[in-house]
Every structure is written in C-alpha cells, then in structure tokens.
Amino acid sequence: MPKAILLLSGGLDSGLAGKLLLSCGIEVTALHATSPFCRCSGHGGGCGAAKRMAEQLGIPLRTVAKGEAYWELVKHPRFGRGSGVNPCIDCRIHVFSLAKQLMEETGALFVATGEVLGQRPMSQHRRAMERIERESGLTGRLLRPLSARFFPPTEAEREGVVPRWKLPAISGRSRKPQIELARTLDLGDYPCPAGGCLLTDPQFAHRAREMLAREPDSRLADAVLLIHGRHYRLPDGARLVIGRNEKDNRSIAALARPGDALLVPAAGSGPTGLCRPGTAEAVAAAAGLIVGYGKGVTRLTLTRPQTPLGEVLADIAPLTPELAETWRIARKDAAPAQPEAPCPSPGRGVRGG
C-alpha cells in the first residue's frame, strides 16, 4: 500500500485531507508540529485536537516541536514577516522540511497538507505555495488535496496512486465547501477555526520586536516568557515580568533560570515578579512595582534559582502608576488580534473554537 505523510493540525482542513487520502487507499502517517506560540483555545486546540483527529481517522500520529530553530526563523526570516512577527513562509518551509525527513525515513511517496489556495494572505497564495514547495525540497511530492486541481499534478497523481478526479477544487476563505465535504466524508468531530498564532497578535508582536532589538541573543525560552504577565524594561536594562493572575504567577516562576531574581509577596495577596537579569538595581525597582499591584503587600521574598534560601525585603514603598507606565512594554494603540469568527455549525459533533 502506498504511504503518505500528512501534516495534521487537528483542524477541519487537514482532517479532510486525511479523509481524502484514506479514501484513495493511501496508508497515512500524521505529523503534528507544535509551537509555544500556538493560541489554541481551551475547547480542544493544539496537540489535543491533532490527537483526537488522528484517532478519528485511525492513523498514527507523530509530534515534533519546532524548537530553537523556529525562534531563529522569527529572528532572521528569509522571506519576511506578516503584520506581526510571523515568518509564515519560513515557518511553512521549516515544517515541510520536517515532513520531508519523515517521508524519507518511512518510505512514503509524498507529503500532504490541508492547505487551501487563497485562504491565508501571506502563505497560501499561489507564488508563496510554489516557493514553499520548492524551498522545502518537495517539488512534485507535495499534495494539497483540497486545492489539488489548481496546481500541476504531483508524481502520485501522474502515476495513478491518487486519482486526481477524486480531489476537490476548493479555494478562498469561505468555510462552506469544507463543511459540506465533511458531511459527505462523514468527518463529524472537528474544532472551528478560532485559535491562531501569537506571532500575529499586535501586543505580543510589540513585545517580541522589543526583545529582538534589546536582546538579540535571545533564545526560545526567553520568547516563551513573553507569553505571560505584564512586561517592563527597567532603567538598568533588565526585563521585569509581573503576573496578572495565579496562572501567570505559576508560569513565571517555572520559567526562572540562573541569573534571574524571583519576587513573591511574603504576606498579603499580590503578583509574582521575575527580573532578568536579577541585578540589585532591577530588584529595587521591581519591588516597588510589585507592591503597587498587591493588596496589603509591604514585604517580598526574594529568591534566586541558584540559591536555595530566600531573602525578605521589607518596608517597600510602591512606585507611582505613572512611573510604572513609562517602563511598560506595551503597544497602547492596538487592541489584541481577534480570532476568526466561529464557523457555521455543520449540524453535529462540532466543538467551538
């Protein structure tokens, strides 16, 4: 039986691509590439959605993290960025290259994706899709089942492994053709297209650009910290992250590393703060900010990841909100990017996004 690698996000389009391949008698292995910047909802996005879709299709799933190489693409994209710091074309090339490696390891004939021509402005117009195919080394071996008829036949189609007449001709941003095809193929449990990538969010992109300018040697772990809390650039150049809620507090504490200083209220209710690096000047400025956010907080416990014992900082005077705002890393003229509108209900088995 001929084999294929399917790039599986867990959403409707990649699930349909898998269904179409299976209907053609192809043995499919799914590959899901994870990113810390995936903004999937709590309703089944991300790896959980990919796992459920693979189970519904009855195919094996392999998961790979984009990792440090992905952050280097964000820092130095060959083919530019979108409106945020999203290097969409470079990202697709990277992921498709990972799929090509798995294709060669498993003896698969081709790689398939759920891409739809014209669905996304940066990476799914014809020139970009052709470039991605070429740069990833998959020329003639990359099948996009949902839009196959808009592209030259792949090797698998020319050799009759995949009957071209079985593949639809879907293009554009409307979801209606996919929803109708899902009914036809009996694909009933898929999330709506709500999630997205944080790299496209104006507020996150502003933080990321500031980091790229001030911390050019930053690594992926530094970028992950950008996801959590409020961010400040202190007078001595240190970064301060202050939690907005208990989840932020836990995440910030877990991301502390040697050289950082972690500040936690010794009594009362208040946020956790992380200084990177944890210089004495940074700690003094951070303490005033944290006390200002807390309720009844006048003392903080200072700990450092490399030091087991904490130090109590007492009688801390809160800094004025006006001063705090001058240090804040935030884009004040842009609202957070909104997710796509929920797709129309196909009538059954749909989780909202």
Side-chain angles (χ1 to χ4, degrees):
M1 181 181 292
K3 300 178 181 179
I5 303 301
L6 171 66
L7 284 167
L8 186 68
S9 68
L12 174 57
D13 293 348
S14 58
L16 287 172
K19 269 283 192 179
L20 288 167
L21 294 179
L22 292 171
S23 73
C24 296
I26 306 296
E27 181 182 333
V28 180
T29 297
L31 177 65
H32 179 69
T34 63
S35 162
F37 308 119
C38 179
R39 188 171 52 181
C40 296
S41 72
H43 298 284
C47 296
K51 181 179 179 181
R52 282 187 291 274
M53 183 60 73
E55 290 172 349
Q56 183 181 176
L57 296 175
I59 60 177
L61 173 67
R62 297 200 188 185
T63 301
V64 61
K66 292 180 183 176
E68 201 67 53
Y70 180 53
W71 180 240
E72 288 302 313
L73 292 179
V74 176
K75 292 166 67 174
H76 309 292
R78 290 176 60 201
F79 301 108
R81 302 188 179 104
S83 59
V85 288
N86 47 309
C88 294
I89 294 176
D90 293 87
C91 175
R92 299 301 287 171
I93 293 170
H94 177 63
V95 173
F96 284 25
S97 298
L98 296 176
K100 179 176 181 286
Q101 293 175 21
L102 183 58
M103 178 188 75
E104 294 169 345
E105 290 171 10
T106 60
L109 296 179
F110 62 93
V111 170
T113 81
E115 291 175 296
V116 171
L117 179 65
Q119 188 177 84
R120 298 184 184 276
M122 185 173 181
S123 62
Q124 290 182 15
H125 59 84
R126 183 176 297 277
R127 287 184 61 189
M129 294 171 85
E130 291 172 347
R131 170 174 277 174
I132 291 166
E133 179 176 341
R134 183 174 61 253
E135 294 288 337
S136 61
L138 285 169
T139 299
R141 304 184 75 181
L142 177 59
L143 177 64
R144 300 170 170 107
L146 300 185
S147 294
R149 296 195 206 175
F150 293 109
F151 295 94
T154 60
E155 292 179 14
E157 293 168 278
R158 290 197 299 269
E159 295 169 5
V161 175
V162 178
R164 188 173 173 86
W165 63 267
K166 277 193 171 186
L167 304 179
I170 299 174
S171 65
R173 304 193 68 177
S174 173
R175 307 289 293 177
K176 292 180 181 179
Q178 289 96 311
I179 291 169
E180 184 58 36
L181 184 59
R183 289 195 184 100
T184 302
L185 297 177
D186 194 31
L187 185 71
D189 188 16
Y190 54 86
C192 293
C197 176
L198 267 176
L199 298 179
T200 67
D201 181 89
Q203 293 288 1
F204 184 89
H206 181 78
R207 290 182 182 179
R209 289 192 188 98
E210 198 273 351
M211 171 176 277
L212 294 175
R214 297 291 297 268
E215 304 171 38
D217 296 329
S218 60
R219 298 178 63 81
L220 184 61
D222 300 300
V224 171
L225 189 59
L226 297 178
I227 299 170
H228 309 286
R230 301 179 181 92
H231 286 246
Y232 300 84
R233 183 65 64 182
L234 299 178
D236 72 340
R239 176 178 296 275
L240 168 65
V241 188
I242 296 180
R244 295 165 296 189
N245 50 47
E246 187 56 38
K247 182 180 179 181
D248 268 352
N249 289 346
R250 291 195 299 269
S251 298
I252 290 167
L255 289 168
R257 67 187 189 196
D260 293 345
L262 202 62
L263 295 158
V264 180
S269 177
T272 294
L274 183 148
C275 292
R276 178 171 293 174
T279 63
E281 184 179 349
V283 167
L289 284 179
I290 294 169
V291 167
Y293 278 114
K295 297 179 180 178
V297 177
T298 59
R299 299 194 307 159
L300 300 173
T301 300
L302 167 64
T303 59
R304 300 179 186 274
Q306 67 271 33
T307 306
L309 298 178
E311 172 189 354
V312 175
L313 307 179
D315 301 321
I316 303 165
L319 296 180
T320 65
E322 293 77 15
L323 179 58
E325 197 61 25
T326 64
W327 297 344
R328 181 92 177 264
I329 304 171
R331 182 176 169 181
K332 299 159 177 79
D333 62 338
Q338 297 299 311
E340 298 176 53
C343 61
S345 172
R348 64 184 181 84
V350 179
R351 289 185 299 275

